[in-house]
Amino acid sequence: MTLKPATILEKGYQKLLSEYRRLNLPDVRVKQLGLNPGWNAVIGTDGCSGVAMSFQDNNPLYGTEQTGIDPAYLQSCIGRPLFEVARETIGEQCLGRRSVGLAALNALSQPLVTDEVLLEKGYKVGIEVKDLVRSDDNLVIVGYGGLVKSYAGRCRELHVTDQRPVEAFRTTIIGETITYGPAGITVHPADENREVLADADVAIITGSTLVNGTFEEVVGYAKNARIRALYGSSAQLLPDVLFENGITIAMSVAISDPEKFEYDVMNAPDMETALRKHQRKYNVGNP
């Protein structure tokens, strides 16, 4: 019988379990779950909070049957060990449950992504990927977002791939001639990932690939890149497992004030606002 290879989330679960035992960290339990069209949040005890992209209402490939979650099931998770809930959900086919599973792993990663802990492991913190990009680089960003404008003009070529229609990112400029923006950026559909990433010198990959199950595939396409970075709030997963599976730099955020974040998940106008107010950015690499 051939065993199915463990996914990145299953590897992350095992690595986190090992770290919690090694460091004798307390048993984290689920306090609250926050659901939002853009993000799902898991709030645990001992200041452990994490989020992951939900894919609801922001991606035409996935419908409600794939991204929806049964509130009764989620309510049954309250008070249970976070490791137990993560183990149940990370292998689910339903994106909604798998998003909750990643958010749980990200919450468990919270005490392990401080500068102190990362430096003790010999990792390099405070890395600025922009400073590592060369003028002659072919740079590919997987997942169109605010990050794109930060790299425009810094490299020879800038390509972006996304699951959403290319037209969603195109601006039509009408003057004496009709042109299209954004200038200097070539946007591709996701089905061109293999071709585009094969020639990348630098690949910056959205953490949402951890949710939709494309992480291994996308990182594999970028195997020849000098830098393979994973970015975004969904990418808070313990960096150890990311480095062991093809990533060279993790660019993510941790919740800086878990108590205020918990309050704002309930009371802020949207999850993005709560995240912006209480996130601590960190970039870490494996030298």
Side-chain angles (χ1 to χ4, degrees):
M1 177 179 177
T2 303
L3 294 177
K4 185 178 179 181
T7 67
I8 184 66
L9 298 189
E10 291 163 343
K11 292 174 183 176
Y13 171 87
Q14 292 297 334
K15 180 68 73 173
L16 278 165
L17 194 60
S18 174
E19 285 292 277
Y20 267 68
R21 288 170 176 168
R22 181 178 71 85
L23 298 170
N24 197 29
L25 294 176
D27 180 30
V28 181
R29 293 181 175 266
V30 181
K31 288 177 65 178
Q32 287 185 328
L33 296 159
L35 309 182
N36 180 273
W39 301 92
N40 291 325
V42 171
I43 297 168
T45 55
D46 295 288
C48 292
S49 298
V51 301
M53 182 172 282
S54 69
F55 283 105
Q56 286 190 324
D57 299 334
N58 66 354
N59 191 307
L61 292 184
Y62 307 118
T64 304
E65 69 282 358
Q66 293 163 292
T67 60
I69 319 173
D70 179 8
Y73 166 74
L74 294 180
Q75 193 168 34
S76 74
C77 296
I78 304 303
R80 293 173 58 197
L82 198 47
F83 270 109
E84 189 176 287
V85 173
R87 185 178 64 244
E88 281 184 1
T89 51
I90 57 175
E92 290 275 2
Q93 290 300 309
C94 170
L95 281 183
R97 286 205 182 190
R98 197 155 69 234
S99 171
V100 169
L102 175 58
L105 294 181
N106 287 344
L108 289 164
S109 298
Q110 173 90 7
L112 301 170
V113 293
T114 65
D115 285 356
E116 180 182 11
V117 172
L118 296 172
L119 287 169
E120 283 179 356
K121 291 182 175 180
Y123 297 146
K124 185 176 180 181
V125 301
I127 296 171
E128 286 295 338
V129 176
K130 287 183 288 188
D131 295 338
L132 302 177
V133 173
R134 303 167 184 167
S135 59
D136 61 345
D137 276 339
N138 177 17
L139 191 153
V140 178
I141 298 177
V142 178
Y144 203 115
L147 195 71
V148 173
K149 63 182 180 182
S150 300
Y151 290 89
R154 290 179 175 269
C155 50
R156 173 174 53 87
E157 294 181 34
L158 177 54
H159 298 265
V160 181
T161 72
D162 202 283
Q163 289 184 318
R164 292 165 291 181
V166 171
E167 293 73 23
F169 311 105
R170 179 180 294 163
T171 301
T172 303
I173 310 298
I174 300 175
E176 292 183 359
T177 61
I178 297 177
T179 58
Y180 300 93
I185 302 170
T186 306
V187 183
H188 305 261
D191 59 11
E192 293 181 13
N193 270 334
R194 180 194 294 272
E195 175 186 351
V196 175
L197 285 165
D199 295 326
D201 298 301
V202 178
I204 304 178
I205 301 164
T206 173
S208 64
T209 56
L210 296 169
V211 180
N212 66 13
T214 61
F215 173 85
E216 287 90 349
E217 174 185 305
V218 170
V219 173
Y221 294 156
K223 64 182 179 181
N224 295 321
R226 184 180 77 256
I227 297 171
R228 291 177 299 278
L230 194 71
Y231 79 93
S233 300
S234 298
Q236 191 191 338
L237 185 63
L238 183 69
D240 309 47
V241 73
L242 299 177
F243 297 152
E244 291 170 4
N245 289 274
I247 295 300
T248 59
I249 298 174
M251 308 161 59
S252 192
V253 297
I255 304 303
S256 58
D257 191 327
E259 288 187 8
K260 290 183 179 179
F261 177 70
E262 181 178 348
Y263 175 84
D264 279 342
V265 165
M266 179 68 69
N267 295 289
D270 55 60
M271 190 79 76
E272 293 278 0
T273 300
L275 279 170
R276 283 197 302 271
K277 287 174 65 177
H278 305 299
Q279 65 184 14
R280 172 183 63 82
K281 294 183 180 180
Y282 67 90
N283 292 355
V284 55
N286 188 12

